[in-house]
Amino acid sequence: MKKKLLLILFTMLSFNAIHGEITWNISNEGTLTISGTDMPDYYFYYPDIAEGGSSPWANKRDEIKKIVIKEGVKNIGSGAFYNCYNLTSVTIPNSVTNIGRCAFKHSNVLESVTIGNSVTTIEDEAFYNCFSITSITLPNSVISIGNGAFEQCSGLTSFTISNSLTSIGDNAFWACRGLTSFTIPNSVTSIGNNAFCGCYGLTSITIPNSVNIIGKGAFAACEGLTSITIPNSVKSIEMSTFSGCTSLTSITIPNSVTSIGDYAFYGCSALTSIEIPNSVTSIGTVALYNCI
């Protein structure tokens, strides 16, 4: 009888496992429920962030189909749900302020993401290669999108952006082929290198006057983009910024621009006219090459 009671008690304890300041359990249906306060950063392949070792549910990640994070949890640790191949939905409560690096990376069948209205930072590669996500709404609390945060989210067709956003990181939306339009709020001051590179479906984008830096290759290979207006806050058009934009027919360069980088409009074969203002003092190598 004592052995049976101990076995039952052990089963209950393992079902509601405690790891640091969080408690977690996985139901028979594959729902991972997490409660508590601080979630540590977990090891996946970046040793420098391995505060919490491997996530305690790492050996069960193939079972995880849904994640419910309870109110009170303050952050989602780096690598927390890395390689959760069968994860389809996640709910992030209002108590969470930060989504860590590679938190949901390679969650290939993840379709539904609800982000609470206190998240301020989405770190590097947080949703990298989550190619089944079709729609994301960022609350107005979000101020920065990290490098590669939504890189290769090729199924993404709708993205509602935060009005408080100040920076879009390098490769943030690289190869998000499903996006057709994107409005950058006037709180953004910088667009990272290759931020929208390979967004083939993008036909229109609005860049506000708040933006003063557009990174290298930011809109390279955006084959559906037909026209673009560069705000008069931008001082330089960097290397390969619009290279391979094969549908681009017109572009407005403001008087604030002083330099046009190498390959800036390389291969913009549909471009029929371009007016370069007197403020430009240098034009880089093959900047307009193959603009037939």
Side-chain angles (χ1 to χ4, degrees), residues 213-269:
I213 298 172
I214 299 175
K216 297 174 183 177
F219 299 98
C222 288
E223 296 177 355
L225 202 60
T226 57
S227 66
I228 194 159
T229 299
I230 299 171
N232 56 21
S233 49
V234 173
K235 294 181 179 180
S236 66
I237 298 173
E238 300 289 343
M239 178 190 293
S240 302
T241 301
F242 300 100
S243 64
C245 291
T246 54
S247 298
L248 194 65
T249 57
S250 66
I251 190 159
T252 302
I253 300 175
N255 290 326
S256 58
V257 172
T258 59
S259 65
I260 297 173
D262 297 346
Y263 305 95
F265 300 99
Y266 182 100
C268 292
S269 53

Side-chain angles (χ1 to χ4, degrees), residues 25-58:
N25 65 69
I26 299 177
S27 71
N28 292 334
E29 293 76 28
T31 298
L32 172 62
T33 302
I34 297 173
S35 58
T37 53
D38 288 319
M39 186 187 298
D41 291 330
Y42 298 110
Y43 174 78
F44 45 108
Y45 60 76
Y46 289 125
D48 59 312
I49 65 165
E51 296 173 10
S54 296
S55 65
W57 47 81

Side-chain angles (χ1 to χ4, degrees), residues 2-15:
K2 285 183 178 180
K3 286 183 178 179
K4 189 177 287 186
L5 286 171
L6 285 171
L7 181 61
I8 292 170
L9 181 60
F10 178 78
T11 303
M12 289 173 66
L13 286 172
S14 60
F15 183 75

Side-chain angles (χ1 to χ4, degrees), residues 74 88 94 112 162 203 213 262:
K74 297 177 183 178
T88 60
N94 292 333
S112 174
S162 163
T203 57
I213 298 172
D262 297 346

Side-chain angles (χ1 to χ4, degrees), residues 30-274:
T31 298
L32 172 62
T33 302
I34 297 173
S35 58
T37 53
D38 288 319
M39 186 187 298
D41 291 330
Y42 298 110
Y43 174 78
F44 45 108
Y45 60 76
Y46 289 125
D48 59 312
I49 65 165
E51 296 173 10
S54 296
S55 65
W57 47 81
N59 63 346
K60 293 180 178 291
R61 61 187 169 211
D62 290 345
E63 300 174 25
I64 300 170
K65 297 178 182 177
K66 180 181 179 181
I67 295 172
V68 176
I69 300 170
K70 295 290 189 178
E71 195 70 38
V73 176
K74 297 177 183 178
N75 61 292
I76 297 175
S78 295
F81 310 108
Y82 178 85
N83 273 0
C84 285
Y85 296 116
N86 294 314
L87 177 64
T88 60
S89 70
V90 61
T91 301
I92 300 170
N94 292 333
S95 57
V96 170
T97 59
N98 181 70
I99 300 174
R101 184 164 68 170
C102 300
F104 297 95
K105 186 172 182 176
H106 296 317
S107 295
N108 300 337
V109 298
L110 181 60
E111 296 177 350
S112 174
V113 179
T114 302
I115 300 175
N117 58 23
S118 295
V119 171
T120 59
T121 306
I122 299 174
E123 292 191 13
D124 297 354
E125 300 184 17
F127 294 94
Y128 181 103
N129 200 35
C130 293
F131 54 73
S132 295
I133 297 176
T134 58
S135 177
I136 287 273
T137 298
L138 294 188
N140 287 332
S141 55
V142 175
I143 59 173
S144 68
I145 296 174
N147 298 339
F150 298 95
E151 184 173 344
Q152 295 192 52
C153 290
S154 54
L156 196 61
T157 57
S158 173
F159 196 95
T160 303
I161 206 158
S162 163
N163 289 328
S164 302
L165 193 69
T166 59
S167 64
I168 299 173
D170 296 349
N171 306 314
F173 296 95
W174 189 87
C176 288
R177 302 180 183 95
L179 283 177
T180 57
S181 64
F182 202 97
T183 300
I184 298 172
N186 57 18
S187 53
V188 171
T189 58
S190 64
I191 299 171
N193 297 333
N194 304 309
F196 295 91
C197 179
C199 291
Y200 306 141
L202 196 64
T203 57
S204 67
I205 189 157
T206 302
I207 304 174
N209 287 328
S210 57
V211 172
N212 50 52
I213 298 172
I214 299 175
K216 297 174 183 177
F219 299 98
C222 288
E223 296 177 355
L225 202 60
T226 57
S227 66
I228 194 159
T229 299
I230 299 171
N232 56 21
S233 49
V234 173
K235 294 181 179 180
S236 66
I237 298 173
E238 300 289 343
M239 178 190 293
S240 302
T241 301
F242 300 100
S243 64
C245 291
T246 54
S247 298
L248 194 65
T249 57
S250 66
I251 190 159
T252 302
I253 300 175
N255 290 326
S256 58
V257 172
T258 59
S259 65
I260 297 173
D262 297 346
Y263 305 95
F265 300 99
Y266 182 100
C268 292
S269 53
L271 198 63
T272 56
S273 67
I274 187 167

